Amino acid sequence: MRGRLVTGNWKMHGNRSANASLLDGVLAGMTDLAGIECAVCVPFPYLAETAARVASSKLGLGAQTLSEHESGAYTGEVSAGMLADMGCRYVLVGHSERRALFGETDGQVAAKFAAAQRSGITPILCVGETLAEREASRTRDVVFRQVDAVLEACGAASFAKAVLAYEPVWAIGTGRTASSEQAQEVHAFLRSRIADRDSGTAANLRILYGGSVKPGNAAEIFAMEDVDGGLIGGASLVAGDFLAICRAGASPR
Ligand code: PEP
């Protein structure tokens, strides 16, 4: 059975002292957490400090994006090798904010996915539709297009060392969550898309749900057959809320 993963996405929040308190709270509550993998994706400047704090814990470390290039004259960019050097286990790839605000294309997202894997980092590939796309009944087309770009560039077997995250854009940071049935429906579509090419990889692929997951709705969403945990934005900034969501993921299916 696929083990669940819950990862926080701190986005561009926090500072050294706030992060220290947040990590104190999360790490203190992690000691009695079993049966779930938890991680935090932190802003680049805080990777080193967070890596040192989580080194002796079960909390995994991730980054929020990376460059598709290995090295060179790319001022301001951060490579997969650098993230590996800092102890990152995960990196978010193709978060909707990167796609919408920074113009990341499907092709670029696929290149970033490949770059992460070349450095031994597990990419968490984020896909999801906007509200207009959902209302036009285009959800499946959109998430398939986003996943297909990676399938074509990297092959289905590459998903054996990756995580997929379904994040409906209309649910991110809005307080509006997909119903557990809506999440399950899209997760099942996504798994079937990978299964069409490689059924073994699809069966073992962890597909996270992200979009206004809170302590009050996590258990219901995580109970769905094809939901293997969560990508948590706002609620990951409050230690007690993040831990409550991790605990919801730790309960048996
Ligand atoms: C996210 O940052 O990917 C996210 C899902 O945010 P929130 O949980 O705040 O909706």
Side-chain angles (χ1 to χ4, degrees), residues 78-170:
V78 174
S79 73
M82 292 171 181
L83 297 182
D85 208 16
M86 298 315 299
C88 286
R89 191 184 302 166
Y90 295 106
V91 63
L92 303 181
V93 169
H95 190 283
S96 63
E97 288 154 15
R98 302 294 316 172
R99 294 178 191 262
L101 304 175
F102 301 98
E104 289 189 9
T105 62
D106 290 335
Q108 205 178 356
V109 169
K112 289 176 185 239
F113 180 102
Q117 290 193 328
R118 279 196 301 276
S119 288
I121 299 180
T122 301
I124 301 176
L125 172 65
C126 304
V127 300
E129 82 288 3
T130 62
L131 187 57
E133 289 163 342
R134 174 163 280 267
E135 287 175 348
S137 301
R138 293 191 50 232
T139 298
R140 191 158 58 156
D141 294 346
V142 170
V143 297
F144 279 2
R145 191 203 74 226
Q146 292 169 332
V147 164
D148 286 356
V150 177
L151 280 169
E152 248 112 76
C154 307
S158 69
F159 281 82
K161 290 198 172 138
V163 174
L164 198 49
Y166 169 54
E167 295 211 304
V169 178
W170 47 271

Side-chain angles (χ1 to χ4, degrees), residues 9 11 95 167 171-173 210-214 231-234:
N9 173 13
K11 307 197 185 190
H95 190 283
E167 295 211 304
I172 298 178
S212 298
V213 177
K214 306 285 178 216
L231 176 49
I232 317 300

Side-chain angles (χ1 to χ4, degrees), residues 153-205:
C154 307
S158 69
F159 281 82
K161 290 198 172 138
V163 174
L164 198 49
Y166 169 54
E167 295 211 304
V169 178
W170 47 271
I172 298 178
T174 59
R176 191 176 163 189
T177 319
S179 68
S180 45
E181 291 77 18
Q182 285 173 322
Q184 168 58 28
E185 182 182 42
V186 180
H187 283 227
F189 285 154
L190 288 167
R191 197 178 302 286
S192 72
R193 193 65 164 185
I194 310 289
D196 287 345
R197 311 222 186 170
D198 183 338
S199 56
T201 295
N204 291 321
L205 176 65

